[in-house]
Amino acid sequence: MTLFSFGATVLCPCGRTVSARDPHRGPAEPGFDPRRLTRAFARASDDIVAMILDAEVAEVDIDIAIERLR
């Protein structure tokens, strides 16, 4: 689920642009595996945690990584 603010859009992994006015529940392609998407999200969030724990990573870089994950 994605929260949209002020007309923001996101790019779905299937390539479709999604907004609050044009919702999309996920790829309807044969072979779509939501577990693969979940694993990718878990890896990305683990990377962000590692960035937070690394004293040499700038806060702005962490903020950028969080926004990309959203």
Side-chain angles (χ1 to χ4, degrees), residues 11-51:
L11 184 63
C12 178
C14 74
R16 181 173 168 194
T17 301
V18 183
S19 70
R21 292 180 186 250
D22 184 23
H24 179 52
R25 298 223 180 258
E29 300 173 11
F32 172 70
D33 184 6
R35 293 172 294 181
R36 185 174 139 221
L37 195 58
T38 302
R39 287 190 301 270
F41 180 82
R43 280 191 304 274
S45 60
D46 287 344
D47 290 344
I48 291 172
V49 169
M51 291 173 72

Side-chain angles (χ1 to χ4, degrees), residues 1-6 8-10 19-20 70:
M1 182 172 134
T2 301
L3 298 177
F4 295 93
S5 61
F6 307 109
T9 61
V10 295
S19 70
R70 285 185 181 157

Side-chain angles (χ1 to χ4, degrees), residues 44-70:
S45 60
D46 287 344
D47 290 344
I48 291 172
V49 169
M51 291 173 72
I52 292 168
L53 296 175
D54 186 344
E56 294 182 15
V57 176
E59 189 173 338
V60 67
D61 292 331
I62 296 168
D63 292 340
I64 291 169
I66 291 170
E67 285 304 312
R68 283 185 182 159
L69 183 59
R70 285 185 181 157

